Amino acid sequence: MQKTEIIEFLQGKDDNWLFNEADRIRRAVFGDEIYLRGIIEFTNYCRQNCYYCGLRRSNRAVQRYRLSHEEIIAAVETAANEKIPTIVLQGGEDPYYSAEWIADLIRKIIDKYDLAITLSLGEQTPEVLQLWRKAGATRYLLRIETWNRENYGSLRPGKRWEDRLNCLKVLRELDYEVGSGIMVGLPGETLATLADAIIGLTELDLDMIGIGPFLAHPQTPLKDKPNGSIQLTLRTLALVRILNPYANMPSTSAMECAEKGARLAALKIGMNVIMPSITPERVKLLYNIYPGKNADSDASEHSIPAVLEIIREAGFHRSLSKGISPNLIRRHESQNILSK
Ligand code: 5AD
Ligand code: SF4
């Protein structure tokens, strides 16, 4: 698909075709199954100061927390009991935890449970990423956030777009399943930069792609900016699905926070993953990246029973498989052929 055609679809040229085609492709690859990932948000401290994020270090209004190994493993136990075969360990970039502390946690989990471990712990050095890979983590999520490179440094002070891209390449070399993605509707985005993102993410040949709308957080410098549009996010998701048939793609919590029912809508237009929060209740409300995240009037919206209900309503079935990326399987197969 050419950039001009992508822009036309983003403008609403033919939603009917777009959404049906995305659903058709998703069914051809994944049938009617949805993969579950339990997410444990184990620290809300962060050394970064991203303009869009409620956990940015300059936000003094947040009550900060850190979980211990024991608390994290208790959450993992919940996932295991609920037959959720993948967990995601996510946190702000919190220097308090050493790389070895995380490696140790990964080993403890793998020793005891038959689970896939995904990490979402920000930009790290190749050495650290390798340590965690060797400890047994097999997947890593690192959103590139935007394709507006010029704007990147003003949204993420002191950070460079190229470094983030490079980190994704390192993850691939270390044989992680690699996930990335963007927010739709960040200040500075145009339909052209959004189309560039759709093309750019596709060229990265990702195993996982997570996309949600930007939601203005009241305790950030972007508090007065408009939220990303749900309709534009749905179009973006459908286009990315069509161009990436084999990628695992979640229907994100940000969708639901933006508009009730939007997470269900995303499942119907090609998304095949959903990520309930299994963060302990004691701290769940404090992981407030964007408004509504774990802190809605009804925090249970992101709980396991709630997502099972959404899957049922959408007419799909939960999968009990770890849900390895079909893209990774294809990549390994072609490497085997080449080495023969
Ligand atoms: N609105 C929506 N998504 C956000 N994220 C961070 N801040 C916001 C916001 N205000 C997303 C980023 C990050 C992920 C963990 O949460 O894309 O990578
Ligand atoms: Fe930290 Fe991530 Fe929030 Fe940026 S988006 S401030 S890196 S938690």
Side-chain angles (χ1 to χ4, degrees):
M1 215 185 275
Q2 298 295 319
K3 184 166 167 185
T4 46
E5 199 182 353
I6 291 177
I7 291 178
E8 282 167 13
F9 276 117
L10 290 173
Q11 285 168 326
K13 169 181 152 179
D14 193 348
D15 282 346
N16 214 5
W17 180 86
L18 185 64
F19 295 153
N20 279 326
E21 182 65 4
D23 181 52
R24 185 189 70 74
I25 287 176
R26 172 256 192 285
R27 284 173 196 273
V29 177
F30 300 98
D32 66 356
E33 297 210 317
I34 304 280
Y35 299 138
L36 290 171
R37 324 293 197 200
I39 178 159
I40 306 170
E41 296 138 330
F42 66 89
T43 171
N44 70 350
Y45 281 84
C46 190
R47 64 180 169 192
Q48 302 298 349
N49 217 11
C50 305
Y51 270 47
Y52 41 79
C53 177
L55 302 185
R56 66 200 304 271
R57 67 165 187 266
S58 297
N59 184 5
R60 307 262 172 252
V62 194
Q63 189 191 329
R64 306 280 172 171
Y65 73 87
R66 295 184 172 112
L67 298 186
S68 64
H69 271 198
E70 291 66 34
E71 285 174 297
I72 297 171
I73 289 180
V76 173
E77 179 88 23
T78 312
N81 290 341
E82 298 279 349
K83 298 198 168 43
I84 293 184
T86 299
I87 55 146
V88 181
L89 297 174
Q90 188 179 82
E93 290 188 18
D94 182 354
Y96 172 87
Y97 295 103
S98 70
E100 196 42 58
W101 190 95
I102 305 276
D104 209 36
L105 173 67
I106 296 168
R107 285 185 219 107
K108 273 194 195 150
I109 296 173
I110 303 262
D111 276 354
K112 193 156 171 218
Y113 303 94
D114 178 25
L115 286 167
I117 299 186
T118 307
L119 302 177
S120 177
L121 300 174
E123 270 167 71
Q124 302 286 346
T125 63
E127 292 70 34
V128 167
L129 295 172
Q130 182 168 35
L131 173 73
W132 294 344
R133 181 72 187 83
K134 284 201 172 135
T138 54
R139 305 172 181 171
Y140 206 102
L141 302 174
L142 186 74
R143 287 191 182 175
I144 191 108
E145 313 293 5
T146 172
W147 228 265
N148 184 343
R149 299 177 201 192
E150 290 74 49
N151 203 22
Y152 187 81
S154 54
L155 291 171
R156 305 198 69 224
K159 306 302 288 178
R160 287 176 9 143
W161 191 87
E162 289 72 20
D163 292 341
R164 200 137 173 114
L165 188 67
N166 196 46
C167 192
L168 289 170
K169 295 201 172 126
V170 170
L171 287 164
R172 168 61 47 85
E173 279 159 19
L174 292 171
D175 201 29
Y176 276 97
E177 280 184 58
V178 183
S180 193
I182 54 157
M183 283 170 271
V184 172
L186 271 179
E189 180 193 88
T190 62
L191 289 187
T193 63
L194 187 52
D196 286 339
I198 293 170
I199 295 165
L201 289 170
T202 303
E203 283 172 357
L204 288 176
D205 188 28
L206 295 161
D207 300 301
M208 304 172 278
I209 306 176
I211 295 173
F214 158 71
L215 300 170
H217 190 294
Q219 291 158 352
T220 65
L222 302 183
K223 61 178 189 297
D224 298 322
K225 301 290 179 192
N227 286 346
S229 137
I230 288 294
Q231 192 65 7
L232 189 61
T233 308
L234 288 170
R235 288 175 188 149
T236 304
L237 287 171
L239 284 159
V240 173
R241 163 54 77 212
I242 292 169
L243 296 170
N244 298 267
Y246 300 105
N248 280 323
M249 293 185 65
S251 172
T252 54
S253 315
M255 293 295 279
E256 195 68 14
C257 294
E259 193 177 300
K260 218 171 159 43
R263 209 167 24 164
L264 189 142
L267 285 185
K268 289 185 168 169
I269 56 120
M271 303 306 101
N272 72 309
V273 172
I274 198 154
M275 300 166 67
S277 168
I278 51 171
T279 304
E281 295 297 330
R282 175 174 80 77
V283 295
K284 208 172 192 167
L285 301 184
L286 302 174
Y287 199 78
N288 193 222
I289 298 184
Y290 43 80
K293 173 77 177 122
N294 291 358
D296 220 57
S297 47
D298 183 7
S300 63
E301 252 176 29
H302 306 289
S303 67
I304 299 169
V307 308
L308 293 178
E309 178 57 20
I310 290 172
I311 294 172
R312 202 190 56 74
E313 265 181 65
F316 292 112
H317 294 103
R318 74 175 282 185
S319 166
L320 293 177
S321 132
K322 290 198 178 89
I324 192 165
S325 140
N327 211 20
L328 180 85
I329 297 168
R330 277 172 64 234
R331 219 166 40 241
H332 281 178
E333 278 169 1
S334 63
Q335 275 161 6
N336 286 342
I337 291 165
L338 290 176
S339 64
K340 268 182 195 153

